[in-house]
Amino acid sequence: MSQGMVVLVGAGPGDPGLITRRGESILRRAEVLVYDHLVSHELIRLAPASAKRIYVGKSRGHHEMSQSQINQVLCDEAKAGHFVVRLKGGDPFVFGRGAEEAEVLFEAGIPFRIVPGVTAGIGALAYAGLPVTHREYASSVTFVTGHDDPDLPQCRADWPLLAKFHGTIVVYMGVTRLCRIAQVLIQHGKSPDTPVAMVERGSWPGQKVAVSSLREVADPQVALPVKPPALVMIGEVVHSQSKLDWWSRLPLAGQTVLMTRPESETHEDVEQLEENGAEVLLAPTITVRPADDPTELDSSISKLNEFDWLVFTSANGVRFFIERIFQLGKDLRVLGHIRLAAIGPATTQALKKFGLNADLVPTKYQSEDLARLLAEHVQGKSVLMARANRGRTILKDQLSGIARQVVQVTAYNNADSLAFDEDILDRLRLGTIDWVTLTSSAIARRFISMLPDDFQIEKLQKIKFASISAITSASAREVGIEPVVEAQEGSFEGLFKAIVSYQMNDKSKATV
Ligand code: SAH
């Protein structure tokens, strides 16, 4: 059997976009993925579906596996011939015991590689607007663990020495002992006025930042505003935070948005929300999958030469229709003669991804407008419409009298999701979800019917519902939901703009 190997990959401090290019490409090739508590689910998802995923825990106080067990897993999986990715929070060699793991591999004669990552002490702090050096305030920095009791002789950090250090002190794993650490620093000569910043879950959607002073955190009466995982920064650089705090100024910072549409449609939308500071939760109320019986679809694909127009009313329609063309061993030349109509920008974009331009897109993205516009072009022509197994039939109804023939074909199936995940329900109950997106009438109805019978509907009162169109808003009202914003343009982009403009308004009101 060929021998496997282990790659220790740094995942970065939290935001999945902060992994390195090499880290990502290695992750995509993992046969076995061994990961910790502080690693984003989005990164875990990058590994192939076939990869064996082993969670080894390590949240404070809840060690799922001891370090020696972890070492054993790495050795066993590599010896079994696998390509093992050991994904670790931040950088594997900064307080992550990556060095110990690599030493064990060395002793066992197992080949290993290291892919560095952005350590939290730099990356998480940067998201909080905290530079570790600054020409005015600090020309050196030290990373230190606050894990040990400073009063014990075996404490690994030399706090009395650090009291004399003029650079920036970045403390990992230090919040629970911060009070004593601050006392020792003051006792050994550090000014009690030295500013202190605390950053909880930096670069994660729920990041929290607090600024204080050594004097204040040394007072045992003062409750700390953050909890682990958090970093503490001690030093004059903290003064620059008020200017550099870019993240909390993002329009959606601190807002949690629940996305209810099928997961396959959300990737870029999620990114847009996250880049604007939101935490995004996925709770698809509807799932999409290929048509159960593709006979009808296959036959329309084989007869494409009989049609003049091909109409798409969703990005999924485009995706499933074109993928089926490929699955049948054909290519896009079968569409060469056909004119393409798309209901809106997302559908147009989906066509673009296959190198196709839409010939016709209405200015308002609704079936009525598409029907009106098509009516001008399809007289006496043959029209094929690729759609979901269910949906409005308005296009067919309105064009039937005008076109020579209108054929509707099911390109994919919409199916209701059965239930929300328990953690989504918990958050709905706790009221820690700010926004819920409603991107179709079916989704609005499904959202309500997916709530369990014992769910107290008053819990939804604090949620801001964002509706994609007037039609969706009307359906939402029918099930008791009053949207606070409605997109001016019936696209996710329109919905996003409506949410942002609401939040900006809210923020400016808060600062008046
Ligand atoms: N190897 C990691 C550090 C592991 S030690 C790295 O290079 O970042 C774990 C500690 O790192 C936590 O207790 C906390 O102090 C800090 N930490 C990790 N991620 C963090 C984050 N996103 N925000 C704040 N602190 C974080």
Side-chain angles (χ1 to χ4, degrees):
M1 192 188 306
S2 71
Q3 195 181 26
M5 70 174 322
V6 179
V7 190
L8 278 77
V9 176
D15 179 344
L18 297 181
I19 193 170
T20 62
R21 282 172 57 181
R22 173 156 308 152
E24 176 172 348
S25 85
I26 294 222
L27 194 50
R28 287 185 188 280
R29 286 168 25 216
E31 288 171 359
V32 177
L33 174 62
V34 182
Y35 65 98
D36 292 335
H37 170 62
L38 283 176
V39 166
S40 153
H41 286 286
E42 256 180 75
L43 292 181
I44 294 162
R45 251 187 265 149
L46 288 182
S50 58
K52 176 168 163 192
R53 290 163 164 77
I54 306 177
Y55 173 63
V56 296
K58 276 204 173 172
S59 58
R60 207 187 149 74
H62 304 273
H63 281 213
E64 302 279 318
M65 255 193 217
S66 68
Q67 188 61 48
S68 60
Q69 283 170 318
I70 297 173
N71 298 344
Q72 196 59 50
V73 167
L74 295 177
C75 291
D76 291 348
E77 294 294 343
K79 280 185 183 155
H82 297 133
F83 183 68
V84 182
V85 176
R86 170 71 175 114
L87 188 62
K88 299 175 74 71
D91 180 272
F93 278 179
V94 180
F95 300 126
R97 304 187 72 166
E100 284 165 62
E101 291 174 12
E103 277 163 11
V104 169
L105 296 167
F106 171 77
E107 304 289 346
I110 295 167
F112 64 89
R113 310 265 186 277
I114 311 292
V115 180
V118 178
T119 187
I122 293 177
L125 294 179
Y127 269 53
L130 291 160
V132 289
T133 69
H134 190 298
R135 263 165 62 99
E136 243 173 83
Y137 301 116
S139 52
S140 54
V141 53
T142 185
F143 296 122
V144 55
T145 167
H147 186 266
D148 309 324
D149 183 343
D151 294 318
L152 294 177
Q154 67 267 35
C155 176
R156 279 168 288 186
D158 188 342
W159 293 109
L161 181 74
L162 287 172
K164 316 246 163 352
F165 177 63
H166 289 293
T168 306
I169 304 174
V170 175
V171 192
Y172 288 68
M173 298 166 278
V175 265
T176 30
R177 298 197 197 278
L178 183 57
C179 177
R180 188 64 197 134
I181 289 170
Q183 290 169 355
V184 173
L185 286 173
I186 294 171
Q187 196 185 324
H188 288 87
K190 195 139 200 93
S191 161
D193 295 324
T194 312
V196 174
M198 291 157 271
V199 179
E200 178 183 328
R201 295 183 76 78
S203 90
W204 291 88
Q207 100 168 5
K208 229 186 211 178
V209 186
V211 172
S212 181
S213 66
L214 263 193
R215 178 184 292 104
E216 211 176 353
V217 295
D219 179 350
Q221 307 298 331
V222 175
L224 289 184
V226 297
K227 54 182 194 312
L231 284 157
V232 180
M233 177 186 252
I234 303 168
E236 301 300 320
V237 267
V238 172
H239 286 303
S240 57
Q241 202 265 347
S242 59
K243 281 189 193 157
L244 303 183
D245 181 21
W246 59 277
W247 187 86
S248 71
R249 288 193 282 260
L250 294 176
L252 303 181
Q255 296 289 305
T256 301
V257 181
L258 185 74
M259 300 276 274
T260 51
R261 63 205 307 207
E263 207 164 330
S264 58
E265 296 172 14
T266 52
H267 184 71
E268 283 152 19
D269 305 339
V270 169
E271 221 162 63
Q272 189 176 22
L273 289 165
E274 285 179 345
E275 276 175 12
N276 283 277
E279 173 185 22
V280 181
L281 303 177
L282 301 182
T285 49
I286 287 174
T287 54
V288 291
R289 53 185 158 80
D292 291 334
D293 176 7
T295 321
E296 201 196 338
L297 178 60
D298 293 354
S299 114
S300 60
I301 290 174
S302 67
K303 286 190 299 202
L304 277 170
N305 56 337
E306 294 173 18
F307 291 96
D308 307 295
W309 280 88
L310 177 55
V311 182
F312 290 107
T313 46
S314 70
N316 280 320
V318 172
R319 206 157 53 79
F320 284 100
F321 190 90
I322 293 181
E323 273 167 14
R324 191 67 196 164
I325 292 179
F326 298 153
Q327 279 163 9
L328 294 174
K330 301 175 191 289
D331 62 41
L332 290 179
R333 284 173 296 178
V334 294
L335 298 176
H337 65 289
I338 261 186
R339 308 208 73 200
L340 299 170
I343 196 161
T347 312
T348 311
Q349 197 54 38
L351 283 168
K352 272 242 155 65
K353 282 196 184 142
F354 292 104
L356 296 168
N357 289 332
D359 298 296
L360 187 146
V361 190
T363 43
K364 269 194 170 174
Y365 314 133
Q366 283 179 6
S367 301
E368 287 81 354
D369 298 280
L370 182 58
R372 216 169 296 136
L373 194 59
L374 271 170
E376 296 166 18
H377 293 83
V378 300
Q379 249 171 15
K381 301 260 157 71
S382 220
V383 182
L384 178 64
M385 291 176 10
R387 64 197 287 275
N389 55 327
R390 56 187 194 195
R392 305 172 75 205
T393 55
I394 190 160
L395 269 170
K396 183 171 164 70
D397 300 343
Q398 298 209 355
L399 297 178
S400 288
I402 302 166
R404 181 154 52 83
Q405 66 160 342
V406 181
V407 176
Q408 258 180 195
V409 64
T410 300
Y412 67 103
N413 275 7
N414 269 329
D416 292 340
S417 304
L418 296 180
F420 288 119
D421 285 346
E422 228 10 79
D423 50 332
I424 298 281
L425 279 175
D426 278 348
R427 298 206 48 177
L428 286 168
R429 288 193 188 103
L430 287 169
T432 57
I433 288 175
D434 301 284
W435 288 94
V436 172
T437 59
L438 301 176
T439 43
S440 74
S441 296
I443 285 176
R445 288 191 286 267
R446 193 68 207 136
F447 177 79
I448 291 296
S449 58
M450 275 173 72
L451 296 169
D453 293 339
D454 62 349
F455 189 88
Q456 293 164 307
I457 215 80
E458 315 80 76
K459 299 271 184 205
L460 299 182
Q461 267 163 15
K462 273 208 268 160
I463 293 178
K464 293 168 274 188
F465 287 92
S467 154
I468 199 160
S469 70
I471 293 175
T472 302
S473 301
S475 309
R477 283 185 200 108
E478 279 168 20
V479 292
I481 297 174
E482 183 58 50
V484 300
V485 299
E486 184 180 290
Q488 286 190 357
E489 168 190 283
S491 62
F492 190 83
E493 186 63 32
L495 194 68
F496 171 79
K497 281 187 194 150
I499 295 176
V500 165
S501 106
Y502 182 96
Q503 283 306 131
M504 303 272 271
N505 234 326
D506 223 37
K507 271 198 182 177
S508 61
K509 267 190 236 149
T511 51
V512 173

